[in-house]
Amino acid sequence: MAENKTQPTAIKPAEYVEAVEHPVRREDARTLLALMERITGWKPQMWGPAIIGFGTYHYKYESGREGDFMRTGFSPRKANMVVYIMPGYSDYSAHLARLGKHKLGKSCLYINKLADVDMAVLEEIIRAGLDDMAKKYPL
């Protein structure tokens, strides 16, 4: 049985955020840390060396792979801010059309800086992702 390579660590999320070199990315990470904690009601947890996650769920695929992972989170990378919405953005086109400047991956929303997006819409997207997760993986 293969497990998720990205596991919780003992790194303190607030300390990680304060160590982000780029000043705009650091300030945006502070904002997202507070926003996601408020939205989720969960304390942040580092996943691997660079992802700040909120909540957990257990998954099990037909292949036999299973593990635990965060319900939502973000990572202040050098190139951009990555917001993780599980299980992905496939049904969020109406929200994304109103968000502002961004790029997409399967479960990743790439944002250069928070000033490029509508924060109310970003909050809607995070909440919608959590609602989708609660349906697929009840708490």
Side-chain angles (χ1 to χ4, degrees):
M1 164 180 59
E3 280 192 21
N4 188 351
K5 293 179 190 176
T6 306
Q7 295 291 322
T9 70
I11 301 167
K12 291 182 171 58
E15 290 177 9
Y16 174 75
V17 166
E18 292 309 314
V20 171
E21 288 184 34
H22 192 281
V24 172
R25 192 96 54 243
R26 183 174 52 249
E27 188 57 38
D28 284 355
R30 287 178 186 140
T31 299
L32 279 179
L33 188 64
L35 177 78
M36 287 190 163
E37 192 166 356
R38 178 179 55 80
I39 290 171
T40 67
W42 297 315
K43 294 292 181 192
Q45 168 73 52
M46 291 298 297
W47 286 79
I51 299 173
I52 299 169
F54 295 83
T56 60
Y57 71 101
H58 185 79
Y59 62 86
K60 185 171 185 175
Y61 300 134
E62 288 181 21
S63 66
R65 179 182 170 134
E66 68 179 292
D68 297 304
F69 203 51
M70 64 185 179
R71 286 186 174 261
T72 192
F74 71 95
S75 182
R77 296 184 183 168
K78 283 188 180 189
N80 47 39
M81 184 69 71
V82 182
V83 178
Y84 298 96
I85 303 295
M86 313 315 236
Y89 293 99
S90 58
D91 299 321
Y92 301 164
S93 58
H95 293 293
L96 293 169
R98 297 183 295 117
L99 180 62
K101 187 177 175 182
H102 68 277
K103 292 181 182 176
L104 290 179
K106 184 175 180 183
S107 292
C108 302
L109 177 64
Y110 300 97
I111 300 169
N112 287 334
K113 57 187 177 301
L114 293 182
D116 291 341
V117 299
D118 183 321
M119 291 299 292
V121 175
L122 180 59
E123 184 170 337
E124 289 174 19
I125 291 169
I126 294 167
R127 287 182 188 278
L130 290 168
D131 290 346
D132 287 348
M133 286 298 293
K135 290 174 192 162
K136 190 168 184 177
Y137 302 98
L139 293 170

